[in-house]
Amino acid sequence: GKERQKRQQTMCWTMDSLFSMPARLQEVRCGGTVEVQAGWNSHRLWFEVVDGSLFMAPPLARVHLLEWYSEMMNDRPRNTAFAAAITAAVDRTRREKGRCRVVDLGCGAGVLSVLAFQAGADDVIGVEITPHLARCAQHVVALHTGGARNGRTASVTCADLRSLAFDNEEHRFDVVVSELLDAGGLGERIVPFMRHAKTHLLRSTGEVVPRLLRICAVLADVRLPAVAGVEV
């Protein structure tokens, strides 16, 4: 009864800065088999349970996100600004070339990918390295693009963006979109990622959104309490 319920609750990975993760497995009998699929890239290794029916709750019943990520997703001025910038870039490209290919680097839950498709992009590819976010983005993009038709496509791939490179100009993208920005602007390594994108993914006449990053800083003298008798 109560002891079993308490044990089940401890099966869920929780931290103060994280929402609880409902996609935990049901109890498996001794001798039972659970098929696990491994995935890997140059930076990480992960495992996923193949049979979704083994979960006590669907893996996407809720998405395991940091609290600040949910706040960012609901930031209307941010979303409005990105929508306007993406629409302008897509419109310029379509006027000049007739078609527009967009790649969304670090697409997260897929919001910017959807905005690019709604702006009229003919081909949109979202790239996300985190497996559960990539799965979420696949659902979001499919829901809001209607599966894409009339010669238009929209998809999400789970990969490290640095593993993508196109030497052929024809296969590259007209617009590179990314929101790899933390509160300080540079914490998510947007500079080296954009350098890779411009070198290996963007067409010579392509555009990057956002085009500019302005960082404001101020010097501060901060005194922290001593740690184990050591002043820091």
Side-chain angles (χ1 to χ4, degrees):
K2 291 184 178 179
E3 182 61 30
R4 180 179 178 181
Q5 184 178 7
K6 181 179 180 181
R7 187 171 68 253
Q8 287 181 344
Q9 289 175 348
T10 60
M11 293 168 60
C12 176
W13 176 34
T14 60
M15 295 177 62
D16 291 339
S17 60
L18 297 175
F19 295 118
S20 60
M21 187 176 182
R24 54 191 185 273
L25 291 174
Q26 299 178 13
E27 292 186 0
V28 179
R29 293 181 177 275
C30 181
T33 301
V34 176
E35 183 179 356
V36 178
Q37 183 176 15
W40 66 89
N41 55 40
S42 58
H43 297 277
R44 64 179 67 187
L45 170 71
W46 65 88
F47 299 90
E48 299 181 9
V49 176
V50 176
D51 186 359
S53 66
L54 296 177
F55 288 95
M56 297 175 64
L60 289 174
R62 289 186 305 173
V63 181
H64 189 55
L65 298 175
L66 295 167
E67 292 180 0
W68 61 260
Y69 193 93
S70 299
E71 294 177 0
M72 179 183 70
M73 295 282 287
N74 290 284
D75 186 342
R76 185 179 295 273
R78 164 193 173 274
N79 295 336
T80 300
F82 265 106
I86 292 171
T87 298
V90 171
D91 284 346
R92 281 192 293 269
T93 301
R94 286 181 58 83
R95 283 197 305 268
E96 296 172 3
K97 303 179 180 180
R99 291 183 63 84
C100 180
R101 299 190 74 221
V102 177
V103 62
D104 178 8
L105 302 179
C107 69
V111 173
L112 301 188
S113 295
V114 172
L115 291 178
F117 189 85
Q118 292 177 345
D122 299 279
D123 301 299
V124 179
I125 298 179
V127 182
E128 173 55 49
I129 193 172
T130 307
H132 72 269
L133 275 179
R135 289 197 302 270
C136 177
Q138 289 168 352
H139 284 257
V140 170
V141 169
L143 176 65
H144 290 277
T145 63
R149 48 188 176 272
N150 299 325
R152 303 174 68 197
T153 64
S155 61
V156 175
T157 182
C158 183
D160 186 324
L161 65 89
R162 291 167 294 188
S163 68
L164 303 180
F166 299 101
D167 295 328
N168 191 329
E169 177 83 2
E170 181 182 352
H171 296 152
R172 293 192 176 194
F173 298 90
D174 301 294
V175 180
V176 169
V177 177
S178 183
E179 209 283 330
L180 292 169
L181 301 166
D182 66 347
L186 302 175
E188 295 189 35
R189 303 186 63 194
I190 191 170
V191 173
F193 289 156
M194 288 300 99
R195 184 179 296 119
H196 174 86
K198 294 185 70 174
T199 303
H200 299 288
L201 300 175
L202 188 66
R203 287 175 175 164
S204 57
T205 58
E207 297 189 39
V208 174
V209 178
R211 298 174 61 184
L212 175 70
L213 173 61
R214 180 181 291 111
I215 299 177
C216 300
V218 61
L219 294 175
D221 184 11
V222 180
R223 299 293 181 182
L224 300 177
V227 178
V230 179
E231 298 288 342
V232 294

